[in-house]
Amino acid sequence: MKSRILIIGACGQIGTELTIKLRQRFGNDKVVASDIREGSDALMNSGHFELLDATDLEAVEDLIFRYKVDTVYLMAAMLSAIAERFPAKAWHLNMTSLFHVLDLAKEQKIKKVFWPSSIAVFGATTPAVMTPQTTIMEPSTVYGISKQTGERWCQYYHDKFGVDVRSIRYPGLISYTTEPGGGTTDYAVDIYHRALKHGQYRCFLQAGTTLPMMYMDDAIRATIGIMDAPSEAVKIRSAYNLAGVSFEPEEIAASIRKHIPDFEISYEPDFRQAIADTWPQSIDDSEARNDWGWQHEYDLDAMTKIMLKNLKPKYTH
Ligand code: SER
């Protein structure tokens, strides 16, 4: 019986925690991690690992065949800020890898696909407050365009070929296990590291830039939640809006000051400000809540407490 899960891009910020969680749930042998590079010790030592270029169809197919994979989580992608530096490379990675996995599902070589979308699908013309599920989408970044296009292809493969693909639009994700790589929302992770290391942080977004964010445990629960849902409950096959908390840099600084009273934040916005300015401030995720029972748990202060507690040992000698 085919029954393994393959995670492509397992060593990134989401992939690392997703792999560990799925291994705890289904058993180490059942979850195959793959990435272009090796990952954390916890990931490398807890089960199968294969080096994999997500754009190499033959290599992906070979892994699926060898490990009897029936479910793929495609987490490999170039994020918003870094994709602006390498547009062609980002487009190639983000789109080619998706087409390969969708085609493998169409050919019934796998049964189920998870592919992450993002708040980056929205743009300057989108209503920014409580952004609805269905609204104007004119993304201005390479990353956003790739995610919006990907969403349409997911819906298309589902409607035309019956592919069981599921997706959510992640907000900015905050975690301590693996650092994010090249996103616009990454300041909300960096700030905790700097607070512990230097007691101060120079923010690359300006004061007042409110963005939707989420603690990683919530994001992982949402991911597993939508994959667990019965097929008929997943009514949207592009991607679901998903909301956790929304805050601006001053608010996260205030939350940190409850633990580190002298913490100081200053502002030096760079090119990422222009990206953040086109993204929503808050998200209406009622469809996800209604269709497959999504509920977030962590607010800003709960997240701050966990982040500081877990990062502290790294900076205490
Ligand atoms: N966190 C991502 C980024 O900033 C958004 O999907 O690129």
Side-chain angles (χ1 to χ4, degrees):
M1 255 268 292
K2 283 189 161 206
S3 64
R4 281 202 186 87
I5 293 169
L6 172 64
I7 302 179
I8 301 175
C11 299
Q13 192 199 6
I14 309 173
T16 300
E17 301 205 26
L18 182 63
T19 304
I20 307 276
K21 193 52 119 211
L22 289 171
R23 281 181 176 163
Q24 283 165 357
R25 179 156 174 214
F26 296 110
N28 288 349
D29 176 60
K30 295 284 184 205
V31 182
V32 182
S34 70
D35 205 303
I36 195 111
R37 60 189 163 94
E38 295 196 347
S40 69
D41 289 348
L43 181 124
M44 299 301 293
N45 299 332
S46 59
H48 307 285
F49 177 82
E50 297 279 347
L51 282 174
L52 177 75
D53 170 356
T55 64
D56 183 343
L57 175 59
E58 254 176 60
V60 173
E61 196 168 354
D62 176 61
L63 279 191
I64 286 171
F65 181 72
R66 267 199 291 137
Y67 283 100
K68 302 191 188 323
V69 168
D70 68 0
T71 301
V72 171
Y73 289 74
L74 174 56
M75 312 309 286
M78 214 185 271
L79 293 188
S80 61
I82 190 103
E84 290 305 294
R85 296 208 179 104
F86 307 102
K89 233 170 135 178
W91 183 259
H92 177 63
L93 170 63
N94 295 3
M95 298 313 299
T96 309
S97 58
L98 175 60
F99 272 120
H100 289 167
V101 171
L102 289 176
D103 280 332
L104 289 165
K106 177 186 161 191
E107 291 159 16
Q108 298 184 357
K109 290 175 176 152
I110 47 176
K111 285 195 187 132
K112 217 171 178 182
V113 175
F114 178 84
W115 174 79
S117 188
S118 158
I119 52 163
V121 295
F122 300 117
T125 49
T126 303
V129 176
M130 286 304 272
T131 300
Q133 172 70 39
T134 306
T135 184
I136 300 166
M137 292 160 90
E138 295 185 316
S140 58
T141 61
V142 175
Y143 175 69
I145 299 168
S146 77
K147 289 296 179 190
Q148 187 197 29
T149 310
E151 283 193 9
R152 300 321 313 153
W153 281 111
C154 288
Q155 183 80 54
Y156 186 88
Y157 270 69
H158 173 266
D159 295 350
K160 296 273 169 180
F161 310 122
V163 167
D164 188 356
V165 55
R166 300 162 186 221
S167 178
I168 47 192
R169 295 173 180 151
Y170 290 122
L173 297 181
I174 293 155
S175 64
Y176 61 86
T177 309
T178 312
E179 287 181 37
T184 303
T185 56
D186 294 5
Y187 93 84
V189 177
D190 295 346
I191 195 169
Y192 291 112
H193 289 267
R194 296 282 164 168
L196 287 162
K197 201 172 171 194
H198 302 301
Q200 54 183 342
Y201 180 61
R202 194 181 305 142
C203 188
F204 59 75
L205 297 183
Q206 70 198 16
T209 310
T210 300
L211 287 169
M213 301 276 186
M214 182 175 282
Y215 181 55
M216 184 61 82
D217 280 20
D218 272 345
I220 299 293
R221 247 180 348 93
T223 309
I224 295 176
I226 192 172
M227 287 299 270
D228 276 351
S231 187
E232 60 280 7
V234 185
K235 299 192 179 102
I236 295 168
R237 295 300 182 139
S238 50
Y240 277 90
N241 273 8
L242 194 73
V245 284
S246 279
F247 54 78
E248 57 132 322
E250 289 286 352
E251 288 171 282
I252 192 168
S255 179
I256 290 173
R257 269 186 221 109
K258 291 180 187 166
H259 304 265
I260 307 173
D262 295 336
F263 175 68
E264 280 174 22
I265 185 166
S266 58
Y267 297 92
E268 201 175 291
D270 65 15
F271 72 101
R272 288 168 281 195
Q273 184 66 44
I275 299 177
D277 285 342
T278 69
W279 287 357
Q281 294 174 21
S282 56
I283 299 286
D284 177 353
D285 63 354
S286 40
E287 265 92 343
R289 289 175 192 263
N290 292 337
D291 289 0
W292 43 275
W294 158 247
Q295 261 184 315
H296 82 279
E297 272 176 20
Y298 293 85
D299 64 13
L300 176 56
D301 282 341
M303 192 167 75
T304 296
K305 203 169 159 192
I306 297 174
M307 289 296 287
L308 293 176
K309 180 169 168 249
N310 286 282
L311 287 174
K312 202 169 180 180
K314 197 172 164 173
Y315 298 107
T316 322
H317 301 289

